[in-house]
Amino acid sequence: MRSNKGRDTKPELALRRAVHALGLRYRVSCRPLKAVRRTADLVFTRAKIAVFMDGCFWHGCPEHHTVAVTNAGFWAEKVRRTRERDAETDRLLGSEGWLVIRVWEHEDPVRAAGRVAEAVTLRRELSSHSSHHRP
């Protein structure tokens, strides 16, 4: 299991390239909330959007998750805990006004980048409208 990388995986790099190609700039592998030990893969600080690239095996993808043959119970429990942690992360960030976007590693990076760009654009528009007070 040592060969599993925590960051800069091929799907993550493909997503970053696709998002960058759309003209968006972001922070890589940073904590949206300093007090919470959760690291997002892409972070848009002003728009308060955290993007997580979830691996199909580790996060229990409904389409591609495979059951481990060796130590099946151990791995099933590990995936269950990972999913619980993901849900907790979504709640913690959401309660602080963050939007969490989860992308499965099997998703087309260009389409996923489009989802991210749409959310960032919408958030930026909403914040610019709310910061301009009308008489």
Side-chain angles (χ1 to χ4, degrees):
M1 289 294 140
R2 227 180 312 140
S3 65
N4 288 317
K5 295 162 66 169
R7 61 176 279 187
D8 298 337
T9 61
K10 283 182 183 177
E12 186 185 327
L13 292 172
L15 177 64
R16 289 195 332 223
R17 277 192 298 273
V19 170
H20 192 273
L22 294 175
L24 296 175
R25 301 302 175 257
Y26 46 82
R27 302 187 75 170
V28 175
S29 294
C30 86
R31 291 182 187 176
L33 300 174
K34 298 296 175 219
V36 180
R37 288 189 55 205
R38 301 296 200 282
T39 302
D41 297 302
L42 304 177
V43 176
F44 299 86
T45 49
R46 281 201 294 267
K48 290 182 93 170
I49 294 177
V51 181
F52 294 87
M53 171 65 69
D54 292 343
C56 290
F57 177 79
W58 298 106
H59 296 264
C61 169
E63 284 182 53
H64 300 104
H65 179 72
T66 56
V67 177
V69 177
T70 308
N71 294 330
F74 169 82
W75 290 111
E77 178 62 15
K78 193 160 186 66
V79 169
R80 186 191 66 73
R81 286 196 318 265
T82 299
R83 293 182 63 107
E84 274 182 9
R85 183 178 168 93
D86 290 346
E88 181 188 38
T89 299
D90 294 355
R91 279 193 308 275
L92 287 168
L93 293 177
S95 69
E96 294 294 324
W98 284 78
L99 172 66
V100 174
I101 298 175
R102 293 202 172 266
V103 178
W104 288 109
E105 70 177 333
H106 70 263
E107 284 187 61
D108 175 69
V110 173
R111 289 180 66 185
R115 281 195 307 148
V116 171
E118 197 174 303
V120 170
T121 301
L122 185 61
R123 281 263 171 139
R124 286 180 178 164
E125 286 174 1
L126 289 174
S127 70
S128 73
H129 290 309
S130 64
S131 63
H132 294 103
H133 300 287
R134 292 184 191 165

